[in-house]
Amino acid sequence: MLARGLTQRSIAARLNVSERTVAGHIARLRELHDAETLFQLGWQMRGARDV
């Protein structure tokens, strides 16, 4: 969902969880993928999906 450009709010609504939960998951993904920004993470996730 992040790679498709959805916001934290829209991801949270689709998954029926809080925005804070989504933010925590995104923070862990940024650390795992060594991404400094949300844009970098989205770009990396999009590339991983297209392969």
Side-chain angles (χ1 to χ4, degrees), residues 8-49:
Q8 289 184 27
R9 179 172 287 166
S10 61
I11 292 170
R14 285 183 183 215
L15 298 177
N16 199 28
V17 296
S18 73
E19 287 182 57
R20 190 174 181 131
T21 298
V22 173
H25 285 292
I26 289 173
R28 282 189 286 283
L29 284 170
R30 283 180 54 193
E31 187 175 319
L32 179 68
H33 291 281
D34 200 29
E36 292 182 22
T37 66
L38 191 56
F39 178 81
Q40 285 179 334
L41 178 61
W43 190 261
Q44 290 176 8
M45 300 294 285
R46 182 181 180 121
R49 184 188 70 195

